[in-house]
Amino acid sequence: MQLATRAVVTAVLAALVAVAGYVGGMPVTIASGILAVVFAAGWPTLAGLPFPPGSSAVIGLGGLGAVVAVHVTPDQPYLRYLPVVFACSIILAFVSELLRRDGRTRLVESVAGTVTGTLVAVAVAGWVAIGRTPGGEPLVVGGALALAVGSAVVALPLAPWLGALVTAAVSAAAGAGAAAVVPDIDVVAGLLLGLAVGILVATLHVLFDRLPTLEHRLPALAAVTLPVTVTGILVYVVGRVLVG
């Protein structure tokens, strides 16, 4: 999958999250669960892990478990059971290694890669948490729109440093613009949120863009969903700091 295609797909996914955030409630949870499953399917191949089926199962269960845990938590803090879900996922990662029958080569790399992927998948629950927070729907919309715009800008043929600066600036502008249109969110808060999202998008682009595995379908799916997944916890943290 080419860079331009990946950028467009990520932008579309982010836009869908923005729409779900505008609607509120269950759509955000469903979208987050789908993102976790798609990411889990592609991450082991993207990271070159030796036991993709087991790693995908652990990551998928961890991501879905986090989404469900946040969705059913009755009151704030909505992320209070997230450490429990992640701890159980770490145990599952070791169980997955015990099920291997290939000599368990690259054992440490396999466990580390699976746990890292699970951490990314669990981060998607941030979208659910901020969506359930009173006054949090505008943050979901603003963060997702900033991500969509920043992901689209990444595809421009710019020098690395210039591309990173442009991505961060445009995302910040998108966040501020969304804040100006959507009620209950300050323009400065939207600007800072968009800036944080833009920096994240530019960083992930530098980290993963040159990986040869992105030519294949499953790794490309993980690459396009990864920014949307990680941004969930970023929007939650930044939103709680800026808005409360």
Side-chain angles (χ1 to χ4, degrees), residues 1-12 151 155 220 224:
M1 189 181 292
Q2 299 298 317
L3 171 60
T5 304
R6 296 198 307 272
V8 170
V9 173
T10 301
V12 170
S151 300
V224 299

Side-chain angles (χ1 to χ4, degrees), residues 95-108:
V95 172
S96 172
E97 296 303 318
L98 292 175
L99 297 177
R100 290 175 60 182
R101 294 296 180 264
D102 56 359
R104 294 177 191 151
T105 58
R106 300 160 57 202
L107 179 62
V108 175

Side-chain angles (χ1 to χ4, degrees), residues 110-214:
S110 181
V111 173
T114 301
V115 172
T116 301
T118 304
L119 181 61
V120 174
V122 166
V124 78
W127 290 116
V128 183
I130 196 63
R132 295 192 60 201
T133 302
E137 292 87 352
L139 289 172
V140 176
V141 175
L145 284 178
L147 175 61
V149 174
S151 300
V153 172
V154 161
L156 297 177
L158 300 174
W161 278 107
L162 179 59
L165 292 174
V166 172
T167 300
V170 172
S171 295
V181 175
V182 180
D184 302 326
I185 179 172
D186 185 69
V187 174
V188 176
L191 177 70
L192 294 176
L193 177 61
L195 178 62
V197 171
I199 293 172
L200 175 65
V201 171
T203 303
L204 292 175
H205 170 66
V206 172
L207 284 175
F208 293 100
D209 179 52
R210 297 186 182 278
L211 291 179
T213 53
L214 291 178

Side-chain angles (χ1 to χ4, degrees), residues 49-75:
L49 302 184
F51 187 43
S55 297
S56 290
V58 173
I59 296 169
L61 288 173
L64 288 175
V67 170
V68 172
V70 174
H71 181 76
V72 301
T73 300
D75 50 24

